[in-house]
Amino acid sequence: MKFSHSLQFNAVPDWMDKYVAYDHLKKIIFQLEKERVDAMNQKEKARQDEGEQATPTTTSHLDENVFLTQLDLQLEKVFDFYTQKESELYTLLDELEASTDVVQGDDVEYYPNNNNNNNNNHIHNLETLDSTLNVNGGTTSNDEKQPSIEIAKRRPSLESRFSLHSTTSSHVQALVDLRARLINLYVSLSELESYIDLNKSAFQKILKKHDKVLDGDLRSQYLKKMVLDSRPFMPQTIQVLQSQILRVEKLYANAFCQGDTHLALRQMKSHLRDQVTYDRNTVWREMVSQERRKLDAHVKNATQSRKKYSVGFIQLEASLIRHMCFFLLAIVVFIILLNVHIFAHQSENYCFALLIFAAIMWATEAVPLYATSLLIPFLVVLLGIMRNEDGSPMDAKTASKEVFASMFSDTIMMLLGGFALAAALSKYGIAKAFATHVLSRAGTRPRWVLLAIMFVSTFLSMWISNVATPVLCFSLIDPILRTLPDHTSVGSCLILGIALASCIGGMTSPISSPQNIITLQYMNPNPGWGIWFGAALPIAIICIFTCWSLLLLIYRPDRDVPRLNKIKPTTGKVSMTQVFVMFISIITIALWCAESSIQDAVGSTGVIAAIPLFMFFGTGVLNKDDLNAFLWSVVVLAQGGMALGNAVTSSGLLQDIALQIKDGIQDLPVIAILAVFAFLILVFSTFVSHTVAALVIIPIVQQVGQTLPTPHPNLLVMGAGLACSAGMGLPVSGYPNMTASGLEDRFGNPYLTSRDFIVTGVPTSVVCTLLIFTLGYGILSAVGY
């Protein structure tokens, strides 16, 4: 939780205006940062106009004086309010102590030892008084009441003294009032102590923010000379306040708990707002966490209106109607194909109907992608699609075993291992630290910052997936975006560069994207990380430079903004946990790269993936919440694709389709066949989804490769798998583009439009596809594919 939210959540509502205006001070810091960058750009443009060489600008002290003035006002506000409340509460405490001493000073005989009736009457009165106090706000339980009565037999209390005088309601009410006043005073003093802590933290954090954003050294000086020397934050003041709280505890204990301070403290703490806030805060965090984990909840613009249409008496949103239409279309096509005999065997016809049904559902997203995957095993078994090796129909029990066996393989295990690496690298700030240190050395020229952030996006996509990388990189360039001039295209250039680089990064490693996991499922033998790197990295690097050149040509960021705000590197010492995470990650990746050499010992890459899973979860580096945060929807989607692929193969449909395609292309060279499939996948992945393109087309490519006169299944499958990541010409082309298309500037306008993706993304996609069936073909042929 951000400190500004924590401050609002834990502050006393009636005192809200008396706390440090943290958000206001933070806005001043960001405004000063923007003004500083604007001044630097104005000087740079002036030097360029005059033909002079740019020199580093000196830092002005004007911003520090503005910020210091605001800090002084906030410190004075805290000082005045604390002094006022301290005087009020301490005076009230003295008055309560005096009134309590008068009551306790009454010379009243407690009860004679030889008068059992008086004794019993007193205990009855005390029980009545306890129940009355509980009804009026006390929290004493039945377990606590009996010991208090036993103590009352031995030691007189203020309650017993009042009960001896009279049991009339006036005396009971007097006790209730006294108890309420003591509790209210205790709560107020405790809130005053919390007020000091929150404001002290606010000054520390805002000064730290100032030094980090504006490259200053104000925290050590101002905090020591001004804040800590101010009366509310002096150690002596805090000690006096704590002693006053102890006085209230003793007064309450002597008056109502027979001197038992532990019991008094427990009763009074139940009224503390801090305790109520803690309980509420804990529950609130857990609810929000569960909401995000289960529903993938995100903050959305509540003011955005959604189109609704009336269907009879029912109001339906336009998106829901669209999904319903697509779902009905898929059902109708499915039913028609079930009754049309296209292939010789019924199982093939049914399998073809299921394949088209799944393709429509995945392409239109009538329901979530993973939901369609969960339906596939049910339909495969129900329709009797699976066949034995002799061609006879497989019984339902055997078919279900085959289907579920295909849904968990070494590929899925490697996907989980990749999730574990990504979670650990992100959780302990290793990925962010690497990125900020690289970007901090990129300088302030827009062209070099753009190239650096694109390479960082590509590199991080190799290890923490191209789904999570854009989110991290967009947050890294926030210091640049908030200091850009209004209505400039530099922000669009940077964001589009991150999105396209992340799409390109999706092809760089076996765990960088879901489509690569699906591709590996259809490669035999597994290429290993070494061969994958050898083929994918050269293509990716050339694509990055091509995309960078297009962005510079189209947006011309250097001309618009000569200098950008410099990104600060992440500070802090390297912890042993970070060293451990890096060690395990390097060992795992090294074993994956050497998998072909140690295959006799480990069997497959899935076995190696057990290392990070056990080491991270077994040592507590990752916990249950991290496991729940895995992209299980991607896992289920991949499993559904594997189940469908197994069914298509078992039914014989895949072989028939491959033979028919082979008849039309068998006379073409392999490079031409790869080009045909690469451009087919490019179109499919641009308009639909990278993952869906892999699910539908990769199995067909594999069968075609096996049925060629000279089989080249691995070459065609890997080339097609790389082509799945090449589609990046539209906002819907892959997760990175979808994430980037939703970003808005401070005016609420989107940074990117469809035109931005088309102008830069389409040429980059075409170049990437050309490289796959030229350079990629050459590399894969050289390794024997």
Side-chain angles (χ1 to χ4, degrees), residues 743-766:
L743 295 181
E744 297 178 346
D745 59 18
R746 63 191 187 93
F747 300 104
N749 301 318
Y751 279 105
L752 300 174
T753 62
S754 297
R755 179 184 176 279
D756 294 306
F757 288 101
I758 293 173
V759 171
T760 308
V762 171
T764 305
S765 299
V766 174

PDB file of all heavy atoms in Angstrom, residues 743-766:
ATOM      1  N   LEU A 743      -3.004   2.644 -21.884  1.00  0.00           N
ATOM      2  CA  LEU A 743      -2.340   3.702 -21.119  1.00  0.00           C
ATOM      3  C   LEU A 743      -2.822   5.076 -21.575  1.00  0.00           C
ATOM      4  O   LEU A 743      -3.019   5.321 -22.771  1.00  0.00           O
ATOM      5  CB  LEU A 743      -0.830   3.600 -21.284  1.00  0.00           C
ATOM      6  CG  LEU A 743      -0.168   2.338 -20.722  1.00  0.00           C
ATOM      7  CD1 LEU A 743       1.330   2.391 -20.931  1.00  0.00           C
ATOM      8  CD2 LEU A 743      -0.482   2.163 -19.247  1.00  0.00           C
ATOM      9  N   GLU A 744      -2.973   5.974 -20.596  1.00  0.00           N
ATOM     10  CA  GLU A 744      -3.448   7.328 -20.886  1.00  0.00           C
ATOM     11  C   GLU A 744      -2.519   8.357 -20.271  1.00  0.00           C
ATOM     12  O   GLU A 744      -1.857   8.088 -19.258  1.00  0.00           O
ATOM     13  CB  GLU A 744      -4.867   7.525 -20.335  1.00  0.00           C
ATOM     14  CG  GLU A 744      -5.916   6.615 -20.964  1.00  0.00           C
ATOM     15  CD  GLU A 744      -7.285   6.823 -20.348  1.00  0.00           C
ATOM     16  OE1 GLU A 744      -7.367   7.463 -19.271  1.00  0.00           O
ATOM     17  OE2 GLU A 744      -8.276   6.350 -20.934  1.00  0.00           O
ATOM     18  N   ASP A 745      -2.500   9.557 -20.877  1.00  0.00           N
ATOM     19  CA  ASP A 745      -1.701  10.641 -20.317  1.00  0.00           C
ATOM     20  C   ASP A 745      -2.485  11.350 -19.219  1.00  0.00           C
ATOM     21  O   ASP A 745      -3.608  10.957 -18.889  1.00  0.00           O
ATOM     22  CB  ASP A 745      -1.280  11.624 -21.412  1.00  0.00           C
ATOM     23  CG  ASP A 745      -2.473  12.247 -22.128  1.00  0.00           C
ATOM     24  OD1 ASP A 745      -3.592  12.208 -21.582  1.00  0.00           O
ATOM     25  OD2 ASP A 745      -2.287  12.771 -23.232  1.00  0.00           O
ATOM     26  N   ARG A 746      -1.927  12.426 -18.659  1.00  0.00           N
ATOM     27  CA  ARG A 746      -2.570  13.081 -17.523  1.00  0.00           C
ATOM     28  C   ARG A 746      -3.846  13.825 -17.915  1.00  0.00           C
ATOM     29  O   ARG A 746      -4.614  14.226 -17.043  1.00  0.00           O
ATOM     30  CB  ARG A 746      -1.595  14.051 -16.851  1.00  0.00           C
ATOM     31  CG  ARG A 746      -1.112  15.202 -17.704  1.00  0.00           C
ATOM     32  CD  ARG A 746       0.036  15.934 -17.027  1.00  0.00           C
ATOM     33  NE  ARG A 746       0.439  17.146 -17.734  1.00  0.00           N
ATOM     34  CZ  ARG A 746      -0.030  18.348 -17.463  1.00  0.00           C
ATOM     35  NH1 ARG A 746      -0.917  18.489 -16.499  1.00  0.00           N
ATOM     36  NH2 ARG A 746       0.370  19.400 -18.132  1.00  0.00           N
ATOM     37  N   PHE A 747      -4.088  13.974 -19.225  1.00  0.00           N
ATOM     38  CA  PHE A 747      -5.324  14.592 -19.680  1.00  0.00           C
ATOM     39  C   PHE A 747      -6.413  13.559 -19.950  1.00  0.00           C
ATOM     40  O   PHE A 747      -7.512  13.916 -20.360  1.00  0.00           O
ATOM     41  CB  PHE A 747      -5.071  15.399 -20.959  1.00  0.00           C
ATOM     42  CG  PHE A 747      -4.072  16.510 -20.793  1.00  0.00           C
ATOM     43  CD1 PHE A 747      -2.790  16.390 -21.282  1.00  0.00           C
ATOM     44  CD2 PHE A 747      -4.426  17.674 -20.116  1.00  0.00           C
ATOM     45  CE1 PHE A 747      -1.863  17.404 -21.123  1.00  0.00           C
ATOM     46  CE2 PHE A 747      -3.502  18.692 -19.943  1.00  0.00           C
ATOM     47  CZ  PHE A 747      -2.220  18.562 -20.445  1.00  0.00           C
ATOM     48  N   GLY A 748      -6.089  12.292 -19.745  1.00  0.00           N
ATOM     49  CA  GLY A 748      -7.063  11.235 -19.995  1.00  0.00           C
ATOM     50  C   GLY A 748      -7.103  10.756 -21.430  1.00  0.00           C
ATOM     51  O   GLY A 748      -7.984   9.980 -21.805  1.00  0.00           O
ATOM     52  N   ASN A 749      -6.155  11.190 -22.271  1.00  0.00           N
ATOM     53  CA  ASN A 749      -6.110  10.772 -23.672  1.00  0.00           C
ATOM     54  C   ASN A 749      -5.177   9.575 -23.824  1.00  0.00           C
ATOM     55  O   ASN A 749      -4.109   9.538 -23.206  1.00  0.00           O
ATOM     56  CB  ASN A 749      -5.608  11.918 -24.558  1.00  0.00           C
ATOM     57  CG  ASN A 749      -6.482  13.150 -24.459  1.00  0.00           C
ATOM     58  OD1 ASN A 749      -7.702  13.042 -24.440  1.00  0.00           O
ATOM     59  ND2 ASN A 749      -5.866  14.321 -24.376  1.00  0.00           N
ATOM     60  N   PRO A 750      -5.552   8.596 -24.640  1.00  0.00           N
ATOM     61  CA  PRO A 750      -4.665   7.436 -24.834  1.00  0.00           C
ATOM     62  C   PRO A 750      -3.377   7.838 -25.540  1.00  0.00           C
ATOM     63  O   PRO A 750      -3.390   8.675 -26.448  1.00  0.00           O
ATOM     64  CB  PRO A 750      -5.511   6.485 -25.700  1.00  0.00           C
ATOM     65  CG  PRO A 750      -6.519   7.363 -26.358  1.00  0.00           C
ATOM     66  CD  PRO A 750      -6.808   8.483 -25.408  1.00  0.00           C
ATOM     67  N   TYR A 751      -2.290   7.242 -25.112  1.00  0.00           N
ATOM     68  CA  TYR A 751      -1.009   7.525 -25.759  1.00  0.00           C
ATOM     69  C   TYR A 751      -0.979   6.997 -27.191  1.00  0.00           C
ATOM     70  O   TYR A 751      -0.368   7.603 -28.066  1.00  0.00           O
ATOM     71  CB  TYR A 751       0.133   6.879 -24.968  1.00  0.00           C
ATOM     72  CG  TYR A 751       0.582   7.662 -23.757  1.00  0.00           C
ATOM     73  CD1 TYR A 751       0.233   7.264 -22.475  1.00  0.00           C
ATOM     74  CD2 TYR A 751       1.363   8.805 -23.886  1.00  0.00           C
ATOM     75  CE1 TYR A 751       0.650   7.969 -21.356  1.00  0.00           C
ATOM     76  CE2 TYR A 751       1.791   9.519 -22.782  1.00  0.00           C
ATOM     77  CZ  TYR A 751       1.429   9.095 -21.514  1.00  0.00           C
ATOM     78  OH  TYR A 751       1.848   9.811 -20.411  1.00  0.00           O
ATOM     79  N   LEU A 752      -1.609   5.842 -27.404  1.00  0.00           N
ATOM     80  CA  LEU A 752      -1.508   5.167 -28.699  1.00  0.00           C
ATOM     81  C   LEU A 752      -2.893   4.952 -29.309  1.00  0.00           C
ATOM     82  O   LEU A 752      -3.875   4.727 -28.601  1.00  0.00           O
ATOM     83  CB  LEU A 752      -0.812   3.811 -28.540  1.00  0.00           C
ATOM     84  CG  LEU A 752       0.617   3.837 -27.980  1.00  0.00           C
ATOM     85  CD1 LEU A 752       1.107   2.425 -27.734  1.00  0.00           C
ATOM     86  CD2 LEU A 752       1.557   4.573 -28.920  1.00  0.00           C
ATOM     87  N   THR A 753      -2.935   5.022 -30.625  1.00  0.00           N
ATOM     88  CA  THR A 753      -4.139   4.699 -31.379  1.00  0.00           C
ATOM     89  C   THR A 753      -3.822   3.532 -32.308  1.00  0.00           C
ATOM     90  O   THR A 753      -2.664   3.096 -32.428  1.00  0.00           O
ATOM     91  CB  THR A 753      -4.608   5.909 -32.202  1.00  0.00           C
ATOM     92  OG1 THR A 753      -3.582   6.256 -33.158  1.00  0.00           O
ATOM     93  CG2 THR A 753      -4.889   7.106 -31.305  1.00  0.00           C
ATOM     94  N   SER A 754      -4.831   3.045 -32.999  1.00  0.00           N
ATOM     95  CA  SER A 754      -4.611   1.946 -33.941  1.00  0.00           C
ATOM     96  C   SER A 754      -3.634   2.354 -35.035  1.00  0.00           C
ATOM     97  O   SER A 754      -2.842   1.531 -35.525  1.00  0.00           O
ATOM     98  CB  SER A 754      -5.945   1.508 -34.562  1.00  0.00           C
ATOM     99  OG  SER A 754      -6.814   1.006 -33.569  1.00  0.00           O
ATOM    100  N   ARG A 755      -3.668   3.640 -35.428  1.00  0.00           N
ATOM    101  CA  ARG A 755      -2.750   4.116 -36.462  1.00  0.00           C
ATOM    102  C   ARG A 755      -1.294   3.963 -36.033  1.00  0.00           C
ATOM    103  O   ARG A 755      -0.427   3.596 -36.848  1.00  0.00           O
ATOM    104  CB  ARG A 755      -3.050   5.582 -36.776  1.00  0.00           C
ATOM    105  CG  ARG A 755      -2.128   6.171 -37.840  1.00  0.00           C
ATOM    106  CD  ARG A 755      -2.398   7.641 -38.060  1.00  0.00           C
ATOM    107  NE  ARG A 755      -1.449   8.224 -39.007  1.00  0.00           N
ATOM    108  CZ  ARG A 755      -0.232   8.619 -38.688  1.00  0.00           C
ATOM    109  NH1 ARG A 755       0.193   8.514 -37.428  1.00  0.00           N
ATOM    110  NH2 ARG A 755       0.576   9.130 -39.610  1.00  0.00           N
ATOM    111  N   ASP A 756      -1.003   4.229 -34.755  1.00  0.00           N
ATOM    112  CA  ASP A 756       0.374   4.085 -34.276  1.00  0.00           C
ATOM    113  C   ASP A 756       0.870   2.658 -34.434  1.00  0.00           C
ATOM    114  O   ASP A 756       2.015   2.426 -34.865  1.00  0.00           O
ATOM    115  CB  ASP A 756       0.449   4.501 -32.798  1.00  0.00           C
ATOM    116  CG  ASP A 756       0.169   5.976 -32.600  1.00  0.00           C
ATOM    117  OD1 ASP A 756       0.831   6.787 -33.253  1.00  0.00           O
ATOM    118  OD2 ASP A 756      -0.727   6.309 -31.807  1.00  0.00           O
ATOM    119  N   PHE A 757       0.015   1.691 -34.081  1.00  0.00           N
ATOM    120  CA  PHE A 757       0.419   0.294 -34.207  1.00  0.00           C
ATOM    121  C   PHE A 757       0.585  -0.099 -35.679  1.00  0.00           C
ATOM    122  O   PHE A 757       1.522  -0.825 -36.033  1.00  0.00           O
ATOM    123  CB  PHE A 757      -0.617  -0.615 -33.544  1.00  0.00           C
ATOM    124  CG  PHE A 757      -0.603  -0.558 -32.045  1.00  0.00           C
ATOM    125  CD1 PHE A 757      -1.543   0.183 -31.354  1.00  0.00           C
ATOM    126  CD2 PHE A 757       0.361  -1.252 -31.322  1.00  0.00           C
ATOM    127  CE1 PHE A 757      -1.538   0.241 -29.976  1.00  0.00           C
ATOM    128  CE2 PHE A 757       0.376  -1.203 -29.936  1.00  0.00           C
ATOM    129  CZ  PHE A 757      -0.578  -0.452 -29.262  1.00  0.00           C
ATOM    130  N   ILE A 758      -0.326   0.373 -36.542  1.00  0.00           N
ATOM    131  CA  ILE A 758      -0.270  -0.017 -37.951  1.00  0.00           C
ATOM    132  C   ILE A 758       0.975   0.548 -38.634  1.00  0.00           C
ATOM    133  O   ILE A 758       1.696  -0.164 -39.345  1.00  0.00           O
ATOM    134  CB  ILE A 758      -1.547   0.458 -38.675  1.00  0.00           C
ATOM    135  CG1 ILE A 758      -2.761  -0.320 -38.144  1.00  0.00           C
ATOM    136  CG2 ILE A 758      -1.415   0.265 -40.180  1.00  0.00           C
ATOM    137  CD1 ILE A 758      -4.091   0.185 -38.664  1.00  0.00           C
ATOM    138  N   VAL A 759       1.246   1.837 -38.398  1.00  0.00           N
ATOM    139  CA  VAL A 759       2.342   2.502 -39.101  1.00  0.00           C
ATOM    140  C   VAL A 759       3.688   1.885 -38.751  1.00  0.00           C
ATOM    141  O   VAL A 759       4.560   1.713 -39.620  1.00  0.00           O
ATOM    142  CB  VAL A 759       2.330   4.017 -38.780  1.00  0.00           C
ATOM    143  CG1 VAL A 759       3.585   4.686 -39.310  1.00  0.00           C
ATOM    144  CG2 VAL A 759       1.102   4.673 -39.379  1.00  0.00           C
ATOM    145  N   THR A 760       3.889   1.533 -37.477  1.00  0.00           N
ATOM    146  CA  THR A 760       5.182   0.973 -37.059  1.00  0.00           C
ATOM    147  C   THR A 760       5.139  -0.546 -36.942  1.00  0.00           C
ATOM    148  O   THR A 760       6.104  -1.232 -37.286  1.00  0.00           O
ATOM    149  CB  THR A 760       5.610   1.568 -35.708  1.00  0.00           C
ATOM    150  OG1 THR A 760       5.564   2.994 -35.779  1.00  0.00           O
ATOM    151  CG2 THR A 760       7.015   1.133 -35.344  1.00  0.00           C
ATOM    152  N   GLY A 761       4.031  -1.077 -36.445  1.00  0.00           N
ATOM    153  CA  GLY A 761       3.955  -2.506 -36.180  1.00  0.00           C
ATOM    154  C   GLY A 761       3.903  -3.366 -37.418  1.00  0.00           C
ATOM    155  O   GLY A 761       4.544  -4.429 -37.476  1.00  0.00           O
ATOM    156  N   VAL A 762       3.162  -2.937 -38.438  1.00  0.00           N
ATOM    157  CA  VAL A 762       3.039  -3.756 -39.650  1.00  0.00           C
ATOM    158  C   VAL A 762       4.376  -3.907 -40.370  1.00  0.00           C
ATOM    159  O   VAL A 762       4.779  -5.034 -40.719  1.00  0.00           O
ATOM    160  CB  VAL A 762       1.948  -3.172 -40.575  1.00  0.00           C
ATOM    161  CG1 VAL A 762       1.973  -3.876 -41.925  1.00  0.00           C
ATOM    162  CG2 VAL A 762       0.575  -3.316 -39.931  1.00  0.00           C
ATOM    163  N   PRO A 763       5.116  -2.821 -40.639  1.00  0.00           N
ATOM    164  CA  PRO A 763       6.435  -3.026 -41.272  1.00  0.00           C
ATOM    165  C   PRO A 763       7.376  -3.894 -40.437  1.00  0.00           C
ATOM    166  O   PRO A 763       8.112  -4.729 -40.983  1.00  0.00           O
ATOM    167  CB  PRO A 763       6.982  -1.598 -41.406  1.00  0.00           C
ATOM    168  CG  PRO A 763       5.790  -0.721 -41.395  1.00  0.00           C
ATOM    169  CD  PRO A 763       4.816  -1.385 -40.495  1.00  0.00           C
ATOM    170  N   THR A 764       7.354  -3.696 -39.127  1.00  0.00           N
ATOM    171  CA  THR A 764       8.209  -4.526 -38.262  1.00  0.00           C
ATOM    172  C   THR A 764       7.801  -5.987 -38.342  1.00  0.00           C
ATOM    173  O   THR A 764       8.657  -6.890 -38.374  1.00  0.00           O
ATOM    174  CB  THR A 764       8.124  -4.032 -36.803  1.00  0.00           C
ATOM    175  OG1 THR A 764       8.454  -2.638 -36.744  1.00  0.00           O
ATOM    176  CG2 THR A 764       9.071  -4.814 -35.916  1.00  0.00           C
ATOM    177  N   SER A 765       6.489  -6.267 -38.391  1.00  0.00           N
ATOM    178  CA  SER A 765       6.003  -7.644 -38.497  1.00  0.00           C
ATOM    179  C   SER A 765       6.465  -8.295 -39.796  1.00  0.00           C
ATOM    180  O   SER A 765       6.889  -9.462 -39.812  1.00  0.00           O
ATOM    181  CB  SER A 765       4.468  -7.662 -38.424  1.00  0.00           C
ATOM    182  OG  SER A 765       4.006  -7.146 -37.205  1.00  0.00           O
ATOM    183  N   VAL A 766       6.381  -7.545 -40.892  1.00  0.00           N
ATOM    184  CA  VAL A 766       6.792  -8.088 -42.193  1.00  0.00           C
ATOM    185  C   VAL A 766       8.293  -8.382 -42.204  1.00  0.00           C
ATOM    186  O   VAL A 766       8.732  -9.455 -42.669  1.00  0.00           O
ATOM    187  CB  VAL A 766       6.415  -7.102 -43.312  1.00  0.00           C
ATOM    188  CG1 VAL A 766       6.978  -7.585 -44.646  1.00  0.00           C
ATOM    189  CG2 VAL A 766       4.897  -6.948 -43.401  1.00  0.00           C
TER     190      VAL A 766
END
